Amino acid sequence: MRQQIVAGNWKMNNDLSQTESLISELKNIKKTSNAEVMVAPTFTNLLTAVKALKTVDIEVIAQNMHFAENGAYTGEISAAMLKSVGINTVILGHSERRAYFNETDDMLAKKVDAALANNMRVIFCFGEELADRKSGNHEHIVESQIKNALFHLDASAFKNIVLAYEPVWAIGTGETASPEQAQDMHAFIRKTLSNKYGNALANSVSILYGGSVKPNNAQEIFSKPDVDGGLIGGAALNATDFFAIVNAF
Ligand code: 13P
């Protein structure tokens, strides 16, 4: 049985006091599903979140990191720095990082290596843009994003990799991929993994869907056989909505 995961990506939202209030609301809601729950506050609030969530079953994760161990990279944060404040999982390759901060597949391959070398787990994001979907090129794009950043890894590395398919046209737009579109792509991703690493590995990797997941559509999306959870943006900023999604499993 693959691990079900619901992760909230808070993006560049919530200052320290807003982070504290959201966390105290999250702590008051009962989890009724078996999904693993994660939240990704911004860097400045990670330590506060780690301390505040120590007693509950919600993992605090980071939204990004640099690939170097340390050095002259003004404004950047390393894996070791994240580990030192209790962070063991990092989101890499989010489409907003690719689009606004020019993150390339090569850079992401290095970031993945750095995270794994520091015994961190990676939630690796990828997804096509609307033009790719319209031209029927979406599978090709997704396949190349996965191959370029991950296929240099040994099979054993995949125990620390979670995949997150986030079609760019569905992020923050209110437009969700239909449950069938999500299922078709997740099955394609699993086949891509299977072709390289074999069926057993492909069937062991959790693949999350992200893009306008809300309380009213989560259950249908999560009911698809190859969808193992969600990476949630906007709805993760509201504790009630976020847990409605967590409890949709
Ligand atoms: P929304 O849920 O706001 O569409 O964002 C999805 C996302 O980008 C999560 O990483």
Side-chain angles (χ1 to χ4, degrees), residues 9 11 94 96 166 170-173 210-214 231-235:
N9 176 8
K11 308 190 180 184
H94 194 281
E96 289 149 16
E166 297 202 301
I171 296 179
T173 58
S212 298
V213 178
K214 307 287 177 204
L231 187 52
I232 319 301

Side-chain angles (χ1 to χ4, degrees), residues 93-114:
H94 194 281
S95 63
E96 289 149 16
R97 300 286 324 162
R98 295 176 190 257
Y100 307 141
F101 303 98
N102 302 318
E103 292 200 357
T104 61
D105 290 345
D106 283 354
M107 226 189 260
L108 290 168
K110 288 196 212 167
K111 290 189 177 202
V112 168
D113 289 346

Side-chain angles (χ1 to χ4, degrees), residues 36-56:
E36 211 176 314
V37 182
M38 306 175 184
V39 293
T42 197
F43 286 130
T44 52
N45 299 328
L46 287 176
L47 182 56
T48 299
V50 166
K51 287 181 178 165
L53 288 168
K54 213 174 350 207
T55 52
V56 292

Side-chain angles (χ1 to χ4, degrees), residues 81-96:
M81 290 169 186
L82 293 176
K83 294 277 291 193
S84 74
V85 294
I87 302 298
N88 295 303
T89 301
V90 61
I91 298 171
L92 294 176
H94 194 281
S95 63
E96 289 149 16

